[in-house]
Amino acid sequence: MSAKPITIVGGGLAGLTLGIGLRQRGVPVMIWESGRYPRHRVCGEFISGSGQETLARLGLRDKMIQAGAITANTAMFLSGSASSHARTLPKPALCLSRFTLDALLANIFRQLGGDLHENERWRENNYTEAVIRANGRRTQPTSNGWHWYGLKVHARNFPLQADLEMHIIKNGYVGLTRLSDNDVDICGLFRRSADGTDSTIRGAVGTLRPAIPAKVGREGQTQLGFPTAPRNELPRGWQEALGENDRSNLCDRLLKASIDQTSSCSVAALSLHPQRAANLSELCIGDALTMTPPVTGNGMSMAFESAELAIEPLVSYSLGKFDWTHARQAVANACDRVFSSRLAWARWLHWMMFSPIFKGPVAGTVLRSNWLWRTMFTHTR
Ligand SMILES: Cc1cc2nc3c(=O)[nH]c(=O)nc-3n(C[C@H](O)[C@H](O)[C@H](O)COP(=O)(O)OP(=O)(O)OC[C@H]3O[C@@H](n4cnc5c(N)ncnc54)[C@H](O)[C@@H]3O)c2cc1C
């Protein structure tokens, strides 16, 4: 009996990794991807957690290093004038631009005989038998009265005090990640109250214009309608996001940075509420299953891990050993077993990032706590 084909909707990290794993086992796979490669994505580009072992098992880790991935060994947290010292990461992270990473995985998938349809959107609402949902985050215009949105841009020759600097600011947090070739990824998660009560802009970073558009559906990773900023100037979306903060060391440094405007991208309507796979009727992996708060630096790892957890049940389905329901439940149970606890810890860490604990007079003491650092690092990945 010939192997039954699998269709994957979404050629991001989860979809491509699953496609590669299935092709390595001889399963026919078609991927639908609404965008094109290479493209920038809103992402801190900091891969931390067990997903690195998935990449090694699939033979992808070495290929990423050949493509320019570098290891990150240190990280520090900063909030106003308080900061931790640069700590050695219990396990090094891997840092690679999404511009390079997604295109690399797409090439590998094609080399393995995978059928990749770029620039083709899956338009059906139903994910029926043999169709995997790997189409990224689910949109949610507001959550508990907040709009959540993300911004990313690359800068050159931007000196860092650690391989990852995580800055806690009034309305969000911004990660600065060291990449190869003197590039730095600047990526932030921000929130804005849905009723506009916290939108007073104090002008910390120069002229500010309205930047968050009314349209907050699934725009993908495009420019969300921000007007383009002049060369080297911080993109307008950043000006609004940072404008809610008093002039800070981070703002000063960003204003002096040499910005790569072509890398600027944004995403809105983020849903950070954890989901259980067993409650979903579709076979979902990556952000389509659930999104972990970006501060964990574990979302890409979860995309790789969930893809790997889906490989064997789908091979069994393709060979006729499992029916579809059995395969879907096997993947869902495996994902819930591996992710439930870390999602609960991640939720708590995310809550702390917006609480007075990391911002008030005790911030310095809390940020320097070894116990907190080790507990959070261990339990959120
Ligand atoms: C601000 C921010 C910072 C982050 N920083 C980090 C970090 O430092 N480290 C980390 O590990 N994670 C980080 N993440 C999370 C990480 O980016 C995601 O977890 C990861 O990209 C999920 O991969 P995915 O394949 O599930 O989804 P995606 O990478 O979003 O891929 C989904 C794909 O599906 C396609 N698609 C959507 N709909 C359709 C359709 N109908 N038909 C065809 N194709 C479709 C999209 O074009 C896209 O290519 C961050 C996220 C945010 C928001």
Side-chain angles (χ1 to χ4, degrees), residues 48-357:
S48 171
S50 313
Q52 286 195 61
E53 284 131 46
T54 294
L55 293 171
R57 282 190 287 272
L58 294 175
L60 300 173
R61 196 172 184 279
D62 286 348
K63 293 195 165 103
M64 285 166 61
I65 290 167
Q66 281 159 21
I70 57 169
T71 47
N73 295 302
T74 55
M76 70 190 291
F77 276 68
L78 306 96
S79 174
S81 56
S83 71
S84 67
H85 54 269
R87 287 195 169 88
T88 302
L89 293 165
K91 250 171 134 181
L94 206 56
C95 305
L96 180 62
S97 151
R98 292 289 299 269
F99 189 81
T100 304
L101 176 55
D102 291 43
L104 173 74
L105 296 180
N107 275 340
I108 295 170
F109 175 69
R110 281 198 168 117
Q111 281 161 12
L112 289 166
D115 187 4
L116 176 54
H117 293 241
E118 267 179 74
N119 214 14
E120 285 195 42
R121 172 168 286 276
W122 178 264
R123 299 203 176 271
E124 289 173 39
N125 286 329
N126 288 338
Y127 291 79
T128 49
E129 178 164 336
V131 182
I132 316 297
R133 185 166 178 170
N135 61 344
R137 71 199 164 81
R138 289 159 193 264
T139 54
Q140 192 179 356
T142 60
S143 171
N144 294 332
W146 297 101
H147 290 304
W148 294 91
Y149 63 101
L151 302 172
K152 184 195 85 170
V153 73
H154 282 185
R156 306 223 84 188
N157 302 320
F158 187 95
L160 294 182
Q161 301 169 66
D163 296 331
L164 169 71
E165 285 182 25
M166 182 61 76
H167 292 258
I168 302 163
I169 60 172
K170 183 180 163 209
N171 53 324
Y173 47 84
V174 178
L176 310 177
T177 310
R178 197 190 307 284
L179 301 173
S180 60
D181 298 327
N182 276 334
D183 269 355
V184 169
D185 173 287
I186 304 168
C187 185
L189 177 80
F190 306 98
R191 71 179 188 185
R192 217 165 73 126
S193 79
D195 61 9
T197 48
D198 69 340
S199 60
T200 323
I201 291 174
R202 289 201 284 267
V205 288
T207 317
L208 297 160
R209 295 181 199 171
I212 303 301
K215 183 176 147 233
V216 286
R218 176 178 282 286
E219 304 81 1
Q221 310 293 126
T222 56
Q223 283 272 359
L224 281 189
F226 296 137
T228 321
R231 217 170 117 70
N232 269 352
E233 201 178 281
L234 206 52
R236 301 270 186 237
W238 283 94
Q239 295 188 17
E240 173 164 327
L242 296 172
E244 292 185 20
N245 293 272
D246 291 319
R247 197 162 185 111
S248 67
N249 170 279
L250 174 66
C251 295
D252 284 348
R253 286 166 70 200
L254 290 178
L255 280 174
K256 289 185 204 137
S258 173
I259 300 291
D260 171 7
Q261 299 290 344
T262 63
S263 64
S264 173
C265 47
S266 51
V267 66
L270 296 173
S271 163
L272 297 166
H273 196 78
Q275 295 274 351
R276 279 183 68 78
N279 296 339
L280 303 171
S281 57
E282 302 146 341
L283 197 161
C284 302
I285 54 171
D287 279 3
L289 164 58
T290 189
M291 200 178 157
T292 185
V295 61
T296 61
N298 193 244
M300 290 190 279
S301 179
M302 284 178 61
F304 300 134
E305 291 174 70
S306 58
E308 188 183 30
L309 292 169
I311 295 171
E312 288 313 325
L314 289 174
V315 170
S316 296
Y317 164 78
S318 176
L319 296 178
K321 294 181 189 162
F322 285 1
D323 65 19
W324 180 246
T325 304
H326 187 165
R328 186 177 56 73
Q329 282 171 350
V331 178
N333 292 341
C335 287
D336 285 342
R337 195 174 56 248
V338 173
F339 299 140
S340 295
S341 162
R342 86 173 75 156
L343 284 167
W345 282 94
R347 212 169 171 207
W348 193 53
L349 176 60
H350 176 76
W351 172 81
M352 286 211 301
M353 297 295 281
F354 289 88
S355 77
I357 298 170

